[in-house]
Amino acid sequence: MPNIKSAKKRVKVLETKTMRNKAIKSNLKTVLKKAESASGAEKEAAVRLAVKKVDQACAKGLLHKNTASRKKAQLTKKLSEAKA
């Protein structure tokens, strides 16, 4: 356990940020799974939501921009295959 006041604060801040990041990542995984398993008319809405969540995770720094781009491309490809 840190003794210096600023180090104690960093521990608290890091814990808060870790919890936020974990919640966002967990939600992202859930939305991606729902987008993959959705069918019919709801698939388009699920993919739109998933793309939005991927962009938000990228903006927060949880995903690299290329990873986010790859995930979005995979989602849209599966959506277009489902429509065809």
Side-chain angles (χ1 to χ4, degrees):
M1 196 64 192
N3 294 324
I4 299 168
K5 187 177 180 181
S6 61
K8 289 179 184 178
K9 182 178 179 184
R10 294 307 317 156
V11 168
K12 282 185 182 179
V13 170
L14 186 65
E15 188 175 315
T16 305
K17 287 185 175 187
T18 302
M19 294 302 289
R20 185 199 70 177
N21 291 343
K22 193 178 285 190
I24 293 171
K25 277 188 176 182
S26 175
N27 189 12
L28 177 65
K29 288 177 187 177
T30 303
V31 169
L32 288 172
K33 285 180 188 175
K34 285 183 181 177
E36 296 255 346
S37 64
S39 61
E42 60 200 33
K43 185 160 183 87
E44 190 171 347
V47 168
R48 192 178 301 123
L49 178 65
V51 167
K52 179 181 176 183
K53 291 293 182 180
V54 167
D55 283 335
Q56 287 176 345
C58 183
K60 295 278 187 187
L62 296 176
L63 292 178
H64 190 272
K65 65 178 183 174
N66 292 349
T67 304
S69 178
R70 185 178 70 243
K71 287 187 182 295
K72 291 192 298 186
Q74 289 170 345
L75 284 168
T76 54
K77 183 180 177 185
K78 287 181 182 178
L79 177 63
S80 63
E81 287 174 357
K83 284 184 177 180

